[in-house]
Structure formats: structure tokens, C-alpha cells
């Protein structure tokens, strides 16, 4: 059992850390408050090859895996720049297209995803069904050689920044008459596709949208894969990378918060000149949060290693556990950092309260902590399904 990164992975971590610190949390907050995007950081990360580390070299990527992409997500977050679209575009969309897309789809989309010139976002969640694909109301039906998509999606990240959205719909199986999932690569400017921005209490440069699809006409080659049989495996192909990279982003955010708080408590002196960090009432909560973040990082590393080894079932369990652990640890770390800094913790200047909304959302999305506990109870502990 080896917990060490390879020399190449270590170099990647150091390089991404340097890039993240070049921009820093101040840049992230400034963009978010201005209603702008972190375009400069995204483009530079693309030029340096960090966005495509998990994409095959034949399409301009780094030829690595989700382990490498998790490193990128974690280190940018640890520098105060947690980029949600890293999860959506390189982790979900690129993985789905690479594993289950046609040759033409890979050639058309992967190079742009690798260098950052293209973004593809992901739309599964719906107002009534949530992310339960068994109950999705968005339906795709044949019209000659074309497809027509109709339905609604919600909480779709970054639609205003992307050229395409990967839409999960349901189609009728001609053999059985049953509905089955299918994925479609939809241009965000397609006629019949409308978006409406949601007002969120999260400080982020990446926006959330409602999508309305009203008979959006698509050519046959918009369907991911060679046939409808690709739909279900394509959908599941994106879920483990999503959970692992979300977890990595959470762990990085937790590291950032603890680092900020520790630097403050190690130098802030009151009551006789002792640093406030010398008091156990301040130091122990920070130490506890640091332990939780490190435990989450270990599970993230395990999940990514299992996924890259092709052990999908085991990676599914580990990925869900990693997401749960990191979501809890990040929320704890940020809240503990705010408490340790006192009034300063609530200011923009000290840069921790600015993350409260994001880490709270990390316990809900992309899958809630309760649904992960249901998953573990059923698939690990052998309990009856509770819902």
C-alpha cells in the first residue's frame, strides 16, 4: 500500500498550487461579487494543460486519470479558488464523451475540453425528480432522423459560460416500450432552449440556471454513443468522477480555511501576550478539523485510485464515502476557521466567511449526505432499501 504520489503527480500538485496562489482567493471573491467569471484563471490552466490532465494525449490531454484531475481540483481550492466547472466539464463531460462517445464526438469535443477553449456543462437534475433518472420528465423522441427534446432542468451550473450542455433525457425503447436514459450534446444556443438564472446565496463566479427545453431539435449525431444502449453506462460513467472531484474541491477548501485560521491564531495575541492558538479552546477545534480534512483526503485518494484502476463498483462506494467525508470536513473547517477568527472571520478581508455558502452546499450537492448514507446502508451494510 503506497500513499505517495508519483514524481509527476507531485510536480503537478506543486505547479497547480503555484498557479492558484498567483490568482488567490481575493481574485475569486472579486470576480464573484462583480458577477464575472474566472476566465483568466481558466484559460491559463488550460494553456498549462491542467484542465485536460485526464484526457487522452491523442486529443491534446495529459493522458492521466481522475487522480490527476482531483489534484488540480484540490490545489486550486486550497489556494482559495474552488472552480466548480472543473467538476462539470473535465470530470463529467470529458469522461462521458471519452468513454462512450463516438469517434467523431471525441475528435470534435475533447481537444477543446483539454485546452479550456470549450466547456460542456451537465444537466440531469429536475424540479420534480431531482437527480433520480428513473423519474426524469425530460423526454427525447424521434422525428425522422432528428431528435426532439422537451423538459425542464434545474441547478445547472455554468450554462452562460458553455457552448454545449450534456442533457440527460429519457427515450422509448422500441423493443420493450419502456423509457431508458440517453445523453445528448446540446448547443446552448439551440432554438427552443431557454435559460433562467437562479438567485443563489452562494458567493461564486459560476452561476446556476433553470433550463427549459421546448422541442429542441437535434441531429442524430447529438446522441452520445453509437446507439441508445450507450445511455445508461454513459450516465454512470460521469458519476464517480463527479463525486471524487467534488470531494477533492471540498478537501482543498478545508485546507485553505484551516491554513488561514492557523496563521491568524499563531500570531494573534491577547491577555498577557500569549497567542490565542496556545489556548486549547482555540487550537483543539482547528486540530480536529484538520484531522477530518486529512481523513477525507485519504478516502479521495483511495476512490480515485480505484476508479483509475477500472474497479468501478469499489470506486462507487469509495467515491460516495469520499464525497460525504469531504463535504462534512469542509463545512467543519470553514465554520471552525470563522469561529477562531472571531469578528475578523466574518469580514471579506480575512477570506473564510466568503466560503460558508459553498461548503454548506457541498453537503447537499451533487448528492446529499442523506442519500450517501442510504447508499452505504444498502450496499455496504446490506440493509433493505429505505425509499
Amino acid at each position: 500500500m503506497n500513499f505517495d504520489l508519483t514524481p509527476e503527480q507531485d510536480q503537478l500538485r506543486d505547479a497547480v498550487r503555484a498557479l492558484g496562489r498567483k490568482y488567490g482567493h481575493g481574485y475569486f471573491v472579486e470576480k464573484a461579487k462583480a458577477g464575472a467569471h474566472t476566465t483568466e484563471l481558466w484559460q491559463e490552466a488550460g494553456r498549462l494543460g491542467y484542465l485536460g490532465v485526464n484526457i487522452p494525449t491523442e486529443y491534446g490531454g495529459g493522458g492521466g486519470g481522475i487522480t490527476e484531475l482531483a489534484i488540480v481540483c484540490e490545489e486550486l481550492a486550497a489556494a482559495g479558488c474552488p472552480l466548480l466547472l472543473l467538476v462539470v466539464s473535465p470530470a463529467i463531460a470529458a469522461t462521458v464523451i471519452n468513454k462512450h462517445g463516438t469517434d467523431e464526438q471525441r475528435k470534435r469535443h475533447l481537444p477543446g475540453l483539454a485546452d479550456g477553449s470549450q466547456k460542456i456543462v451537465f444537466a440531469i437534475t429536475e424540479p420534480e425528480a431531482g437527480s433520480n433518472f428513473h423519474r426524469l420528465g425530460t423526454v427525447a423522441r424521434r422525428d425522422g432522423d432528428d431528435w426532439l427534446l422537451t423538459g425542464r432542468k434545474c441547478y445547472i451550473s455554468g450554462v452562460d459560460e458553455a457552448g454545449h450542455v450534456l442533457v440527460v433525457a429519457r427515450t422509448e425503447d422500441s423493443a420493450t416500450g419502456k423509457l431508458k436514459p440517453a445523453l445528448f450534446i446540446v448547443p446552448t444556443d439551440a432554438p427552443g432552449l431557454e435559460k433562467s438564472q437562479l438567485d443563489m446565496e452562494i458567493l461564486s463566479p459560476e452561476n446556476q440556471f433553470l433550463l427549459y427545453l421546448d422541442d429542441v431539435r437535434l441531429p442524430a449525431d447529438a446522441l452520445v454513443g453509437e446507439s441508445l444502449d450507450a445511455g445508461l453506462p454513459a450516465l454512470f460513467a460521469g458519476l464517480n468522477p463527479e463525486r471524487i472531484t467534488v470531494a477533492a474541491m471540498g478537501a482543498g477548501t478545508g485546507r485553505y480555511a484551516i491554513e488561514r485560521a492557523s496563521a491568524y491564531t499563531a500570531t494573534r495575541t491577547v491577555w498577557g501576550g500569549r497567542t490565542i492558538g496556545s489556548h486549547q479552546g482555540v487550537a483543539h477545534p482547528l486540530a480536529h478539523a484538520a484531522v477530518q480534512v486529512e481523513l477525507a483526503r485519504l478516502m479521495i485518494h483511495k476512490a480515485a485510485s480505484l476508479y483509475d484502476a477500472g474497479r468501478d463498483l469499489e470506486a462507487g462506494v469509495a467515491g460516495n464515502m469520499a464525497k460525504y467525508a469531504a463535504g462534512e470536513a469542509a463545512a467543519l473547517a470553514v465554520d471552525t476557521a470563522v469561529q477562531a477568527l472571531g469578528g475578523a472571520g466574518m469580514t471579506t478581508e480575512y477570506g473564510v466567511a466568503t466560503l460558508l455558502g459553498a461548503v454548506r452546499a457541498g453537503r447537499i450537492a451533487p448528492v446529499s449526505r442523506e442519500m450517501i448514507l442510504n447508499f452505504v446502508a444498502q450496499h455496504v451494510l446490506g440493509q433493505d432499501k429505505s425509499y
Side-chain angles (χ1 to χ4, degrees), residues 17-208:
R17 180 186 297 122
L19 175 64
R21 289 179 175 175
K22 173 182 173 181
Y23 287 88
H25 190 59
Y27 163 85
F28 180 90
V29 171
E30 179 184 354
K31 291 292 185 180
K33 290 193 171 184
H37 303 306
T38 52
T39 305
E40 301 87 355
L41 173 54
W42 184 273
Q43 290 177 344
E44 187 165 354
R47 287 195 302 271
L48 294 171
Y50 305 149
L51 302 180
V53 290
N54 61 312
I55 293 174
T57 55
E58 64 189 287
Y59 301 110
I66 293 303
T67 297
E68 284 74 19
L69 187 59
I71 289 171
V72 175
C73 291
E74 181 181 346
E75 290 307 319
L76 287 179
C81 297
L83 299 186
L84 179 58
L85 287 191
L86 278 170
V87 174
V88 179
S89 196
I92 301 176
T95 299
V96 167
I97 292 171
N98 180 49
K99 287 197 166 187
H100 296 283
T102 64
D103 287 341
E104 178 57 33
Q105 288 167 347
R106 286 190 283 269
K107 292 173 184 175
R108 187 187 313 160
H109 296 292
L110 291 182
L113 292 174
D115 65 19
S117 61
Q118 181 177 176
K119 295 175 184 173
I120 299 179
V121 295
F122 184 61
I124 182 172
T125 307
E126 295 185 357
E128 286 78 28
S131 57
N132 180 359
F133 73 88
H134 294 291
R135 297 188 179 275
L136 293 182
T138 300
V139 174
R141 67 183 190 277
R142 288 280 194 184
D143 186 46
D145 291 334
D146 293 345
W147 290 95
L148 292 176
L149 266 64
T150 299
R152 292 188 300 161
K153 299 290 183 180
C154 61
Y155 305 118
I156 310 306
S157 307
V159 180
D160 56 335
E161 300 181 62
H164 295 81
V165 53
L166 191 61
V167 175
V168 183
R170 301 185 75 192
T171 64
E172 184 175 306
D173 189 322
S174 59
T176 65
K178 295 182 179 180
L179 293 176
K180 59 194 301 186
L183 278 69
F184 296 86
I185 304 172
V186 182
T188 52
D189 61 357
L193 176 63
E194 300 291 337
K195 64 179 184 292
S196 175
Q197 186 171 334
L198 289 162
D199 291 328
M200 305 292 292
E201 296 300 324
I202 300 173
L203 186 64
S204 172
E206 296 150 325
N207 299 315
Q208 301 292 313

Side-chain angles (χ1 to χ4, degrees), residues 249-307:
M249 190 168 63
T253 301
R255 285 172 50 203
Y256 167 83
I258 292 167
E259 181 180 327
R260 295 286 291 178
S262 298
Y264 180 86
T265 57
T267 56
R268 170 73 167 160
T269 56
V270 292
W271 301 310
R274 295 180 64 188
T275 62
I276 62 173
S278 67
H279 297 277
Q280 291 180 355
V282 175
H284 282 187
L286 284 174
H288 173 64
V291 170
Q292 300 309 306
V293 169
E294 190 62 23
L295 291 173
R297 293 181 73 206
L298 287 172
M299 184 54 77
I300 293 163
H301 182 71
K302 177 180 180 179
S305 297
L306 288 169
Y307 182 83

